[in-house]
Amino acid sequence: MKRHLSRPTRFLAARFLAATASAMILAATANAKDAPKDASGPNRPNFLIIVTDDLGFSDIGAFGGEIDTPNLDALALSGLRLTGFHTAPACSPTRAMLLTGSDSHRVGLGAMAEVTQANQRGRPGFEGYLRGDTATLAERLSQSGYRTLYSGKWHLGVQPTQDPHARGFQHSFALLQGGHNHFGLEGQRKDRGTSYTENGVPVAKLPADFYSSDYFGAKLVEQIKSTKGGPDGKKPFFAYLAFTAPHFPLQAPPQTVAKYKGRYDAGFEILREQRLRRQRELGLIDASVQPHSPVDSPGWNDLTPEQRRREAREMEIYAAMVDHVDQAVGRVVSALKETGEFDNTVILFLADNGAEGMELDQAKVAGLNQVAAAAAQDFESLGTARSYISYGRGWAQAATAPSYRFKTYATEGGTRAVAFISGPAVRQPGAIGKAYTHVTDVTPTFLDLAGVPVEPGRFAGKPVQPIDGLSWTSLLDRGEKVYPADKAIGNELFGSRSLRQGDWKLVDIGDRKWRLFNVAADPGETRDLAASEPEIMAELLREWDDYAKRVGVILPEPDIRPNPPLGDE
C-alpha cells in the first residue's frame, strides 16, 4: 500500500492544521492567566511526567510521524518541543537520572542490573538499583506538600525498600522489572522476571483484560480522582506515568493492529525519507542537515517477499502500541480536565532513549534470544500474547533519522530522545527548543517551578548525591540556552561513551575508538574530525577523564553490547 504511506502534502498539512487547532485551544487555556503564579504560594503547579519506553524520535505526529497520536500532538504543539533533549542510551539509567537529577553512575545505575559485568559488580555506582543516598523528586516534592502518584514501569530496584512506595510515591502501581508480557500473560511470576506492587504490596493477580498501556493509564486516572476527592485533594500533585510500550515484545490488541494494515508495505527506507521530509516541513531539523546513513541493516529490496511481509507486520504492531499510548494519555488528560487540574499542570513527555534496534535472535541480555525462540513464530500469532518479537534496525533507524545509530549507543541516535513540555510553565507555546537539554535537568527544573529549595548534597538532614542537571527556567521563560559553551556533559553505558561540550562531541560506540563531531554543523555525526582537530580532541579527552573520575565510570570487561555492530559501516 505504497500510496497510503506516501500521503500528499495537502493531507499532511490538514492533519497538522487539525492538531494545531487543538493545540491552540490547549494553549489558550494553559496561558489564560496574565502573570505566572508565585511558585512558593498556595497555587503551585502540578507536575505530570510521562515516559515511554524505546519510542523513536519521529514516532508521534508532532515530531514527523504518521502514527495516529492526536492527544500527544495537541499537547506537544501547545507546548515547547525539545529537539535537543538527551538521555542515557538505555532505560534504567535514564529513569535514575530523571528522578534524582544526578548522573547514573553516582546513583547506582552505572550499568543496567541485567548486564553488569564482573569487574563492575560490588563497586559503588553499580548496585543495579537506586541507591539509598539519593533524594528522588517524589521524596523532595512529597516533603514540600505535594501528593505523589505513580503508575507503570519502575526498573530501579525490586526489593521492598526500593519500591516506588518507599521512594516518595504515596500512591503507586508498579511493574518492578524492566519488561513484561504486555497482556500480562506471565502474571505475578518472579521466575519470569515480573512482579507488580500496589502501594508497596505485591499484586496477586492481574485482571483478565490487562493490557499494559491501557491499565497503567487507568491506574493513574484512578489515583488522580481518588486523591482529588480525599483529604489531600487541595494539595498539588506530582504524577509519573511510565509506559512499557513500545518496548518489545511487540504486542497489541488485534483491532488496533488492523487499523495500520498495509501502511508500512513500502518498507523502512521509504518511511525514513518521509519522516525526514516531515521533520524539515515542521522546522524540527534544518533543510541542510545531512542524515547519517543506516548501519547494520539490509535494504528493503534485499529481503524476500515473506521477510518483507513479516517486517511490515512488525511495524504495524509497533504503531498500534504507540496508538494505545496516545489513547491512554488522552484519558489521563480528560481526567485532569474533569478534576479541574489540567490548567495548572506542567506536563513533560519523553522517551527514555533512542529507538530499539535489537535483533532478538542475536540478543545477549538475560537469554532474550532463547525466550524469543521459544515463543510462537507463525505469522498469525505476531503481536499476540504468545509471540515475542522486536522490529529491528531498519525501522529503528527510520525513527532515529537524521541521527546516528539507536538505543544502547552514546551516539545521537541512542541518546537524543523525543520530548516536549507543556502547561503553565511554557511562555512561548508552539515553539521549538533546539538547545541542548539533559534528563538530569528535570529534577532541578521542577523543584524551581515548585519553589522547593535545594541544600546542595543534603536532603532531610542526610548527605545525598549532588544534582548534576541545570534548571530550564531561562529556556522556558525566554528561550535561552541552558548549558554554557564550556560546560562538559559525559555519558557512558555498556562501554559506549560520549562527552559533549558546546558544539563538539566525542563518541565511542563501544569499540574503544574515539570519534569527534561538530554536532551543531553535523547533527547526523557523519564527518569524523578527530584527525583534523587535534587540539579540540585533546581538550575533550581531558574533560572525559575528569568526568569519568568524578562520577566513577568503570568500563565493562569483557565487552558487552546488547546491540553489537553486525558488520562494517
Side-chain angles (χ1 to χ4, degrees):
M1 298 288 184
K2 185 175 181 179
R3 184 172 57 86
H4 184 109
L5 189 64
S6 303
R7 301 177 180 184
T9 302
R10 62 179 180 273
F11 184 84
L12 178 65
R15 179 183 179 191
F16 279 95
L17 282 173
T20 303
S22 298
M24 290 173 66
I25 295 172
L26 290 173
T29 304
N31 293 277
K33 305 168 184 62
D34 294 329
K37 294 179 178 179
D38 178 2
S40 62
N43 296 317
R44 294 188 294 172
N46 304 313
F47 300 108
L48 169 60
I49 295 177
I50 304 171
V51 179
T52 51
D53 203 345
D54 295 353
L55 186 75
F57 182 84
S58 61
D59 280 340
I60 70 172
F63 280 74
E66 72 299 322
I67 301 171
D68 293 333
T69 54
N71 297 295
L72 290 170
D73 294 346
L75 290 171
L77 293 170
S78 73
L80 178 67
R81 280 169 286 173
L82 302 169
T83 60
F85 182 77
H86 286 72
T87 65
C91 40
S92 54
T94 289
R95 292 158 199 267
M97 292 192 286
L98 174 69
L99 276 178
T100 64
S102 304
D103 187 279
S104 58
H105 296 83
R106 295 189 192 272
V107 297
L109 276 301
M112 289 177 60
E114 297 87 343
V115 290
T116 305
Q117 293 301 90
N119 69 310
Q120 299 169 326
R121 293 190 195 109
R123 304 288 293 275
F126 293 86
E127 290 84 357
Y129 57 83
L130 197 60
R131 287 167 47 154
D133 62 342
T134 58
T136 71
L137 180 58
E139 289 167 333
R140 292 180 186 273
L141 290 176
S142 177
Q143 187 188 69
S144 71
Y146 275 70
R147 51 189 159 111
T148 51
L149 320 173
Y150 185 91
S151 182
K153 168 178 169 174
W154 182 239
H155 207 191
L156 295 175
V158 299
Q159 300 304 317
T161 56
Q162 300 157 7
D163 189 275
H165 196 62
R167 296 310 311 260
F169 289 100
Q170 300 150 0
H171 308 271
S172 66
F173 178 87
L175 164 69
L176 296 182
Q177 290 82 8
H180 61 164
N181 185 294
H182 289 279
F183 290 103
L185 184 65
E186 73 275 80
Q188 185 82 332
R189 292 282 301 276
K190 290 189 177 181
D191 61 317
R192 298 276 184 88
T194 54
S195 49
Y196 303 83
T197 62
E198 188 157 19
N199 297 333
V201 178
V203 173
K205 186 178 182 180
L206 298 174
D209 61 350
F210 179 89
Y211 181 68
S212 65
S213 298
D214 298 345
Y215 196 75
F216 292 156
K219 275 294 180 182
L220 189 66
V221 167
E222 178 184 302
Q223 293 170 11
I224 289 169
K225 291 183 175 180
S226 64
T227 60
K228 180 63 175 178
D232 292 334
K234 293 185 178 180
K235 292 181 177 181
F237 71 77
F238 165 47
Y240 186 161
L241 176 58
F243 293 104
T244 45
H247 193 295
F248 67 80
L250 303 186
Q251 297 167 331
Q255 66 271 20
T256 314
V257 177
K259 175 180 174 180
Y260 292 92
K261 185 176 181 180
R263 190 171 294 193
Y264 300 101
D265 288 356
F268 35 73
E269 292 150 335
I270 295 294
L271 181 66
R272 184 174 185 271
E273 290 306 315
Q274 290 177 335
R275 290 195 178 182
L276 282 168
R277 184 179 69 249
R278 291 172 191 145
Q279 288 181 64
R280 295 185 185 105
E281 291 172 352
L282 292 167
L284 300 169
I285 58 173
D286 295 334
S288 61
V289 168
Q290 181 180 346
H292 202 291
S293 300
V295 298
D296 294 342
S297 177
W300 188 254
N301 291 331
D302 296 328
L303 304 177
T304 66
E306 182 57 33
Q307 287 174 324
R308 291 197 291 268
R309 177 172 177 252
R310 186 181 178 96
E311 288 272 356
R313 174 55 60 86
E314 290 169 354
M315 186 60 200
E316 291 166 7
I317 299 163
Y318 179 92
M321 296 178 76
V322 177
D323 193 312
H324 269 268
V325 166
D326 184 78
Q327 293 177 44
V329 170
R331 289 189 284 271
V332 171
V333 168
S334 294
L336 294 177
K337 292 178 178 178
E338 181 182 334
T339 57
E341 302 276 22
F342 179 74
D343 294 352
N344 195 38
T345 300
V346 175
I347 300 175
L348 174 67
F349 174 87
L350 66 140
D352 57 358
N353 43 248
E356 172 64 87
M358 182 176 288
E359 307 287 352
L360 287 178
D361 60 345
Q362 300 174 37
K364 297 180 180 180
V365 181
L368 290 178
N369 56 346
Q370 298 173 1
V371 175
Q377 301 293 327
D378 61 288
F379 186 84
E380 296 305 319
S381 293
L382 298 181
T384 70
R386 301 184 304 278
S387 70
Y388 198 93
I389 57 173
S390 63
Y391 73 172
R393 298 174 178 191
W395 298 119
Q397 290 176 96
T400 61
S403 298
Y404 177 31
R405 291 191 171 270
F406 34 82
K407 178 181 175 180
T408 75
Y409 289 96
T411 59
E412 292 292 281
T415 64
R416 191 177 75 113
V418 56
F420 64 78
I421 186 168
S422 68
V426 178
R427 303 299 173 210
Q428 297 177 315
I432 297 172
K434 296 186 178 182
Y436 179 90
T437 51
H438 193 264
V439 68
T440 54
D441 303 338
V442 174
T443 285
T445 299
F446 281 16
L447 293 175
D448 261 3
L449 294 174
V452 177
V454 175
E455 181 182 0
R458 297 189 68 81
F459 172 72
K462 298 179 181 179
V464 295
Q465 294 298 322
I467 290 176
D468 293 301
L470 303 181
S471 174
W472 294 344
T473 303
S474 61
L475 173 67
L476 297 174
D477 286 348
R478 301 177 297 279
E480 296 176 358
K481 289 184 177 181
V482 174
Y483 282 81
D486 61 350
K487 175 75 171 177
I489 310 100
N491 182 20
E492 184 276 330
L493 190 64
F494 310 126
S496 184
R497 306 174 282 175
S498 70
L499 190 288
R500 174 74 178 259
Q501 186 178 49
D503 294 342
W504 293 93
K505 182 180 176 184
L506 276 180
V507 178
D508 167 13
I509 65 171
D511 58 4
R512 303 298 193 264
K513 175 185 175 183
W514 285 111
R515 299 154 177 83
L516 177 66
F517 301 104
N518 183 322
V519 286
D522 180 26
E525 296 173 319
T526 64
R527 300 182 295 277
D528 181 5
L529 304 177
S532 61
E533 298 286 353
E535 292 183 3
I536 295 175
M537 184 78 173
E539 173 59 25
L540 266 62
L541 285 172
R542 285 191 292 270
E543 292 285 358
W544 164 262
D545 288 339
D546 288 345
Y547 160 76
K549 291 174 184 176
R550 184 169 67 251
V551 303
V553 172
I554 301 172
L555 298 180
E557 296 176 4
D559 175 47
I560 171 66
R561 282 177 277 176
N563 275 326
L566 298 180
D568 295 333
E569 294 179 13

